[in-house]
Amino acid sequence: MRILTVGAGAVGGFFGARLANAGQDVSFLVRPARAKALEARGLRVAGQGEQLRLTPRLVTADAVGGPYDLVLLSVKATALHTALADIEPAVGPDTAVVPLLNGVAHLDTLVARLGADAVLGGVAKVVTTLSEDGDILRMAPPAVILTGELDARPSARVDSIRTVLAEAGIDSPAAEDIVAAMWHKWAFISTLVALTCLMRGTVGEVNAVAGGPDLAAALIAETTAVADAAGHPVTGAELAFTTSTVTAPGSPLTPSLYRDLVAGAPTEADHVLTDLTVRARALGVATPLLDLAALQLRVHEHRLAAAGA
């Protein structure tokens, strides 16, 4: 399978490395600065007992090639529109595009730009980050990609993609309703983002003080209420996972959005939290804590814009 991974950061780089290491024909679409770093050091993945070092095949926006069989779109929401312009030459009549962004707003954007036939739903479950050297550090066990047709119909191309992923050591269980799975991931990540950004600390630091676990529980109640009202009720297993994750004593976990915030960088706040609260209003669901977290992040973005960042 000819695969284009858009981005070689903590998420795309990890999954792309797994696929390339398994013998798939993988190219990485990267910006010049990332290309320079990868040419110098190679693509490295470490952590959780894993050690990979590859010489990746790199392409840039001016020579992306194509068409590809599969495009894994792993950019942040803030880079989505630029990435779409870059990948258009890579998308042919039989290309499947699997977006690995949080939230669901990007689906409409992708369908409008690339056509409904090209776009699948996608969910990534992985805990990775980039080191100062640009290496990918894996911090927890999950290595999961869920995908499926947006209308939930059975699909030979989805089965083929899931087989390729599994052969590369990437878990890809069948998703009965991929849009529902995306909502469940959105509820989880929004809870984690709001908790850490409001309290400016790791999950463990928040839960180490009086009121921390209560805040986590209140945020879970808000995010799951929005998903329920949208017609995608969070399952018992997903709820248990979210609860155990955001109330874990001593956990060093923070989402990438929080790390961008404390680094003074732009964030995906609009795509993750603001969009969720807007949908909550339309559905008649009160989300005062999520509203507060979204407001705080909008102030951060306003400050960056005012400074010309």
Side-chain angles (χ1 to χ4, degrees):
M1 184 175 287
R2 191 161 185 249
I3 300 170
L4 179 67
T5 299
V6 186
V11 175
F14 173 78
F15 289 123
R18 279 280 184 94
L19 288 161
N21 191 58
Q24 294 296 330
D25 181 358
V26 180
S27 297
F28 295 86
L29 174 59
V30 293
R31 298 297 176 199
R34 183 62 170 151
K36 184 177 181 180
L38 290 169
E39 288 166 354
R41 286 184 60 80
L43 179 59
R44 305 188 188 200
V45 178
Q48 299 295 307
E50 186 164 28
Q51 291 285 342
L52 290 178
R53 182 177 179 182
L54 307 172
T55 301
R57 181 184 298 113
L58 306 177
V59 297
T60 52
D62 59 341
V64 69
Y68 290 83
D69 301 307
L70 172 63
V71 175
L72 289 179
L73 184 61
S74 60
V75 299
K76 293 188 177 182
T78 50
L80 178 60
H81 288 282
T82 299
L84 280 176
D86 293 345
I87 69 171
E88 278 191 304
V91 178
D94 298 318
T95 302
V97 179
V98 178
L100 302 179
L101 290 77
N102 292 314
V104 299
H106 57 279
L107 292 179
D108 289 341
T109 303
L110 287 167
V111 168
R113 188 73 174 260
L114 303 176
D117 290 343
V119 181
L120 300 177
V123 171
K125 297 182 180 181
V126 65
V127 185
T128 51
T129 190
L130 289 182
S131 72
E132 291 183 359
D133 292 325
D135 298 342
I136 298 167
L137 304 180
R138 187 179 178 205
M139 300 179 290
V144 178
I145 292 179
L146 304 179
T147 189
E149 301 287 349
L150 295 179
D151 60 4
R153 73 183 187 275
S155 166
R157 66 173 177 170
V158 169
D159 292 341
S160 177
I161 291 167
R162 290 179 54 235
T163 297
V164 167
L165 294 171
E167 290 172 350
I170 301 166
D171 294 337
S172 187
E176 183 176 336
D177 183 344
I178 190 61
V179 175
M182 292 173 68
W183 267 91
H184 299 163
K185 170 71 181 299
W186 193 11
F188 165 76
I189 200 67
S190 296
T191 301
L192 182 59
V193 163
L195 181 72
T196 55
C197 290
L198 279 173
M199 295 296 101
R200 288 298 199 276
T202 67
V203 166
E205 288 170 338
V206 175
N207 284 288
V209 300
D214 295 332
L215 176 60
L219 285 166
I220 291 170
E222 289 189 7
T223 56
T224 55
V226 182
D228 290 354
H232 304 292
V234 177
T235 65
E238 291 284 352
L239 181 59
F241 172 78
T242 298
T243 301
S244 64
T245 300
V246 302
T247 60
S251 171
L253 182 62
T254 59
S256 61
L257 193 152
Y258 169 83
R259 297 192 292 273
D260 289 339
L261 172 68
V262 297
T267 74
E268 297 180 292
D270 283 348
H271 194 77
V272 175
L273 281 187
T274 298
D275 187 38
L276 189 64
T277 59
V278 168
R279 292 172 191 259
R281 296 292 80 72
L283 294 165
V285 178
T287 54
L289 292 170
L290 292 172
D291 293 345
L292 183 60
L295 176 60
Q296 183 190 83
L297 288 165
R298 284 198 296 274
V299 172
H300 168 76
E301 299 297 335
H302 174 76
R303 183 182 299 120
L304 293 180

